[in-house]
Amino acid sequence: MKIGTLLLLTFSGVQAFSPSIPKNHATVNSALFAEMDRRSMIGSAAAAIVVAASVEPAFAEGSSKVVVAGATGQSGRRVLERLAALKGLNVVGAVRNVDKAAASLAESSTVIRGAMVQKVGSIDTDGVELVHMDVVADSVDAITEVLRGADSLIIATGFIPGNPLKMNKSAHEVDNLGTCKLVDAAKAAGVKKVVMISSILTNGRNWGQAKSPGFVITNAFGNVLDEKIVAENYLRASGLDYTIVRPGGLKATPPAGALKISGEDTLNSGEISRDLVADVCVASLTDPKASNKVLEIIEDEGVPPKVFNGLTM
């Protein structure tokens, strides 16, 4: 697995990075380095682009443990695949049913998940430990034991839209309460870094987007954006080192455009491949520029984004 050449982006004081994804995934390369053009940073309030080398996450051989919560989800399984290919890392996939997860990850198929039909590829889980975790049913103490000894946690959980009479309850239990449980458990277990996959427009009500098409349509599914922002704020107030990754509309297809990273509360449309989301999550584990940051990400198609979650704006 290769996290390719990086672009370090500075958004009015917010630093992030942009891994380009090669078609042929290979090994991860050497440590990050960069030279910043100070004149471009001083002379413009817009993003300053800095070309950097490939980055190898700085995991100590055999001593670093990363837990992926929601490892069988469409984004979680991609994160799991990338982590499993890295050296010096103990990878744990936290799932509700271990036997079903092992079978699901090992096969390629087309699945119906709530209102979505998605193609999923098989994942090589050699060297990955699958353990039980249910963020709704399990107590914080039980989740803490799963996270015990972990250095990092990637939260890729999310409710699956289905029965319209139960969506509000499900979104509240998973995207709000369940995520807050994970944060509490991470603190209790001594986890050092938490990466959370959220969504653009999560904080839409607070920057004038409450009536925007993307917010209205997405939040119609269980008020999920309102639930996610509670969990985001809970993580931010926890004292843990965090990165919140807010992707645009998620696509199961490979990337068709370059990765665009924007500052907090700036994107209200756009789509992105789950492959890119996974790469940003993995890079966020060790890159200090992602520390305590909110990264909003979409694919740059060369024109202003006009689509979000399949909706033409």
Side-chain angles (χ1 to χ4, degrees):
M1 191 66 52
K2 184 174 183 179
I3 302 172
T5 301
L6 302 188
L7 296 179
L8 309 187
L9 308 180
T10 305
F11 297 97
S12 301
V14 177
Q15 288 187 330
F17 48 82
S18 172
S20 61
I21 312 302
K23 292 182 179 179
N24 182 23
H25 294 293
T27 57
V28 182
N29 289 332
S30 60
L32 175 68
F33 69 90
E35 291 183 2
M36 288 188 143
D37 185 342
R38 295 180 59 191
R39 288 173 298 177
S40 66
M41 292 180 65
I42 295 172
S44 174
I49 301 177
V50 185
V51 179
S54 297
V55 60
E56 181 177 32
F59 297 115
E61 184 71 29
S63 64
S64 295
K65 177 179 176 181
V66 181
V67 177
V68 181
T72 57
Q74 297 308 291
S75 297
R77 65 192 291 133
R78 288 167 169 83
V79 170
L80 197 71
E81 179 184 32
R82 284 151 175 76
L83 291 172
L86 295 175
K87 295 180 180 180
L89 194 61
N90 297 320
V91 183
V92 177
V95 298
R96 286 181 297 176
N97 186 304
V98 172
D99 291 337
K100 286 184 178 180
S104 172
L105 291 169
E107 65 183 13
S108 178
S109 62
T110 300
V111 298
I112 298 176
R113 298 176 63 86
M116 300 173 286
V117 178
Q118 300 176 326
K119 293 182 178 179
V120 297
S122 61
I123 303 296
D124 183 359
T125 56
D126 285 349
V128 173
E129 180 186 3
L130 296 178
V131 299
H132 167 81
M133 177 193 288
D134 188 327
V135 298
V136 174
D138 291 352
S139 66
V140 172
D141 287 343
I143 297 172
T144 298
E145 290 309 309
V146 174
L147 300 181
R148 188 80 64 190
D151 300 280
S152 306
L153 166 67
I154 296 181
I155 301 175
T157 52
F159 99 105
I160 300 171
N163 186 335
L165 299 178
K166 297 181 179 180
M167 283 198 297
N168 284 27
K169 180 175 182 290
S170 296
H172 182 65
E173 289 179 338
V174 177
D175 293 88
N176 181 338
L177 300 181
T179 304
C180 291
K181 279 187 187 180
L182 285 166
V183 173
D184 286 340
K187 288 185 67 175
V191 172
K192 299 180 180 65
K193 175 76 182 190
V194 176
V195 177
M196 173 186 175
I197 301 177
S198 186
S199 173
I200 63 171
L201 286 172
T202 300
N203 196 37
R205 293 191 188 279
N206 291 324
W207 63 287
Q209 298 297 313
K211 295 183 179 179
S212 68
F215 184 90
V216 172
I217 294 299
T218 304
N219 214 39
F221 293 93
N223 294 317
V224 66
L225 295 177
D226 292 329
E227 302 294 354
K228 284 181 179 294
I229 192 60
V230 174
E232 281 193 16
N233 289 337
Y234 196 76
L235 173 58
R236 296 175 77 162
S238 69
L240 292 165
D241 184 359
Y242 69 84
T243 302
I244 296 171
V245 179
R246 292 180 178 171
L250 295 166
K251 303 186 296 183
T253 54
L259 175 63
K260 176 181 178 180
I261 301 183
S262 189
E264 182 178 354
D265 296 341
T266 57
L267 296 178
N268 63 6
S269 60
E271 295 187 318
I272 187 167
S273 169
R274 292 181 187 271
D275 293 335
L276 285 174
V277 176
D279 282 306
V280 170
C281 287
V282 172
S284 296
L285 289 175
T286 57
D287 195 313
K289 293 174 298 303
S291 178
N292 297 326
K293 295 295 190 298
V294 176
L295 311 178
E296 298 195 349
I297 58 175
I298 58 173
E299 284 182 44
D300 187 353
E301 298 178 346
V303 295
K306 298 179 180 179
V307 175
F308 179 51
N309 285 341
L311 176 70
T312 300
M313 305 309 227

